[in-house]
Amino acid sequence: MGRTCLGHAARRTANLLTRHYNRHMAALGLELTQAQLLAAIADGSASSAAEIARFLGIDRSTLARNLKPLEVAGLVTRQDGKGRKVLPVLTQLGETKVIEIHRTWLKAQEEVSTLLGPDGADAVRTQMSKLRKAVHILDSQEKTAADTASQSDPDETTLSGHQS
């Protein structure tokens, strides 16, 4: 299973890449996840914390946990959005940190990209995108199947869930 499992290969690769970027981000007192979160907030295109979480591929509770140390460090604050939405925004210190993050990220990115070569880096991004799309399709199919199963004919079952 270990040699053929796509999940295992993706996790091992993600762990190695994360360590590489973390070594670079350590000089800024950050980890890659925090740097990515700050960059996503800096992008400014999200209208809610939920959108940021979706973009990063994390759930909202993970986002909330990751925001806390950034708030404590004075890099992020919360701003009321539309309705009940609260949007994390960068402070002035956070904006300065994002500039440092970008410079540091470029160096870490260049190191890996140079070893892969331009065609190799593009091929990795393309294949990872295909893998994500495949898993999204499978997730969607599972959700559809689960929704269909939960919408059984109400005449077939009683309130207790037993067939009559």
Side-chain angles (χ1 to χ4, degrees):
M1 182 169 120
R3 293 189 189 277
T4 60
C5 179
L6 294 173
H8 178 69
R11 184 169 297 274
R12 284 185 64 201
T13 303
N15 287 339
L16 285 168
L17 274 172
T18 299
R19 281 198 300 268
H20 170 72
Y21 284 96
N22 280 347
R23 280 192 298 273
H24 286 272
M25 293 298 159
L28 303 177
L30 297 171
E31 292 185 351
L32 178 60
T33 54
Q34 295 168 320
Q36 289 172 326
L37 176 52
L38 288 169
I41 294 168
D43 175 68
S45 63
S47 64
S48 69
E51 277 186 38
I52 293 170
R54 267 192 305 278
F55 172 76
L56 294 173
I58 59 176
D59 59 44
R60 286 185 296 192
S61 63
T62 301
L63 176 66
R65 274 193 315 277
N66 287 328
L67 279 171
K68 283 183 184 180
L70 299 176
E71 287 178 291
V72 170
L75 301 172
V76 174
T77 188
R78 294 173 192 245
Q79 182 178 64
D80 290 336
K82 295 177 184 175
R84 297 180 353 183
K85 294 180 180 178
V86 177
L87 186 64
V89 293
L90 296 178
T91 63
Q92 185 66 40
L93 184 61
E95 290 175 12
T96 301
K97 186 66 83 172
V98 167
I99 293 167
E100 295 171 14
I101 288 168
H102 186 71
R103 283 190 208 121
T104 303
W105 171 83
L106 280 173
K107 186 174 187 306
Q109 181 79 357
E110 180 66 24
E111 288 175 0
V112 174
S113 295
T114 297
L115 290 173
L116 292 172
D119 292 340
D122 286 342
V124 168
R125 280 187 287 275
T126 298
Q127 292 304 313
M128 294 301 285
S129 177
K130 287 181 181 181
L131 181 58
R132 284 190 304 274
K133 286 177 185 174
V135 175
H136 282 304
I137 289 168
L138 293 171
D139 284 348
S140 178
Q141 289 172 347
E142 275 187 38
K143 184 179 181 333
T144 301
D147 290 346
T148 301
S150 70
Q151 296 173 355
S152 62
D153 187 350
D155 293 334
E156 295 287 321
T157 56
T158 65
L159 291 177
S160 66
H162 301 346
Q163 290 196 338
S164 36

